[in-house]
Amino acid sequence: MEKREQIYEGKAKKVFATDDPELLIVEYKDDATAFNGLKKGTITGKGVINNRVTNHMMRMLEKEGVPTHYVEEISERETIVKKVSIVPLEVIVRNISAGSFSKRYGVEEGIVFDEPTIEFSYKNDDLGDPLINSYHAVALKLATREEIERIKELTFRVNAFMKEYLLGLGIKLVDFKLEFGKTADGTIVLADEISPDTCRFWDSKTNEKLDKDRFRRDLGGVEDAYHEIEKRLMGD
Ligand code: ADP
Ligand code: UDP
């Protein structure tokens, strides 16, 4: 496996081509952004933690029968993944009210839902990732109805597994964002990352925030929170 030219640099990761047209290398950075890139900073060591945590989750999800893009972790910050065509939807699941849900509907954070909710944002930085419903996504040809149904089914399976697993480690899974992609043969697979950047994690006893909200809201102890998640999931 040979690392070739960089094909994309995003807010949190760089993506490289390889000598295999079906594989990519993603490299996790310490750069942190919030509010559609308005707030910028560095979280030292974040890239290493997010690489490890994402791969740990993806490996477990594969065992649970959820197809993912994960192939192999090759260094502290780099992982080989299957190249997919990303479905331009951010798939957001919520178990507990927080963030934009609380703001939009004028409710406090911390309301535990009887059932998880799902919503989609259109992945489009110029538009600020607007909320979109599945009919609009089909109309815009972002995905077919069947693909959206499959994405929903996989997403609820990911939530059920992660929620249970994390609770066993003393972590409440408040909400999170997933991205899916299509392989060359049309299979829908889980892609991108699952990390404290893309999930809200609260300590199950104290409700202490152990995720990127510490950065977004200037709560301090950002690095410590990421380390705590890494430690609970994978040991020291
Ligand atoms: P952003 O683009 O939002 O700034 P990142 O910095 O995380 O985000 O960049 C990583 C990019 O790589 C994202 O656009 C993501 O959709 C894309 N991506 C993730 N997994 C894959 C994959 N397996 N194949 C192709 N693209 C991927
Ligand atoms: N999220 C994400 N990327 C985004 C938007 C949201 O990873 O571009 C995650 C976020 O970390 C949280 C969940 O999705 O775990 C729900 O986020 P919310 O809609 O509440 O938005 P926010 O409060 O981040 O603006």
Side-chain angles (χ1 to χ4, degrees):
M1 173 59 47
E2 210 178 290
K3 192 173 178 179
R4 295 264 170 94
E5 75 281 4
Q6 180 176 309
I7 54 177
Y8 180 77
E9 175 160 8
K11 297 184 286 292
K13 300 190 283 304
K14 294 178 182 175
V15 182
F16 297 85
T18 70
D19 54 351
D20 183 334
E22 296 190 351
L23 300 177
L24 299 173
I25 292 173
V26 293
E27 185 181 311
Y28 287 75
K29 308 190 290 179
D30 286 351
D31 299 353
T33 64
F35 314 119
N36 285 315
L38 246 53
K39 182 181 171 86
K40 289 192 178 69
T42 302
I43 302 174
T44 306
K46 169 172 88 80
V48 173
I49 293 173
N50 286 1
N51 187 39
R52 289 190 78 200
V53 167
T54 294
N55 294 340
H56 178 68
M57 293 304 314
M58 295 263 180
R59 286 188 290 258
M60 283 192 298
L61 287 165
E62 282 278 353
K63 285 194 189 133
E64 295 295 311
V66 175
T68 79
H69 73 163
Y70 175 77
V71 177
E72 189 189 353
E73 189 170 309
I74 52 168
S75 78
E76 272 194 323
R77 291 178 185 271
E78 296 167 302
T79 295
I80 302 172
V81 299
K82 289 174 203 149
K83 180 179 186 166
V84 298
S85 156
I86 292 285
V87 176
L89 295 172
E90 299 198 330
V91 183
I92 294 169
V93 177
R94 301 177 191 273
N95 297 303
I96 299 176
S97 66
S100 70
F101 182 97
S102 289
K103 205 169 170 201
R104 187 180 317 123
Y105 301 119
V107 296
E108 70 204 88
E109 298 198 313
I111 304 165
V112 180
F113 303 144
D114 292 340
E115 288 177 25
T117 69
I118 192 165
E119 76 212 41
F120 302 104
S121 291
Y122 177 21
K123 236 177 99 67
N124 182 317
D125 280 336
D126 294 337
L127 300 176
D129 297 343
L131 197 63
I132 190 170
N133 74 29
S134 59
Y135 293 91
H136 292 175
V138 172
L140 291 169
K141 295 197 162 45
L142 308 182
T144 65
R145 175 137 305 278
E146 293 72 28
E147 285 164 357
I148 290 175
E149 283 310 312
R150 176 68 173 157
I151 285 171
K152 278 160 68 177
E153 180 205 333
L154 291 173
T155 297
F156 283 123
R157 274 162 59 186
V158 169
N159 182 52
F161 172 76
M162 282 185 30
K163 204 178 137 189
E164 273 302 302
Y165 168 71
L166 291 167
L167 201 56
L169 303 172
I171 300 163
K172 288 184 194 170
L173 179 59
V174 175
D175 59 27
F176 59 96
K177 182 267 300 179
L178 299 178
E179 293 183 25
F180 290 87
K182 266 197 298 182
T183 59
D185 70 2
T187 308
I188 295 280
V189 302
L190 180 61
D192 206 51
E193 67 176 280
I194 302 177
S195 72
D197 269 14
T198 63
C199 304
R200 284 195 171 93
F201 298 132
W202 293 357
D203 180 87
S204 60
K205 287 209 181 76
T206 65
N207 281 340
E208 186 191 357
K209 295 183 198 326
L210 298 171
D211 57 59
K212 196 168 143 186
D213 268 347
R214 301 206 74 85
F215 169 78
R216 291 191 191 96
R217 302 178 188 189
D218 295 319
L219 299 176
V222 185
E223 280 89 358
D224 287 348
Y226 279 70
H227 273 293
E228 181 63 23
I229 289 296
E230 181 186 35
K231 196 171 106 189
R232 290 203 201 174
L233 268 67
M234 337 198 36
D236 278 314

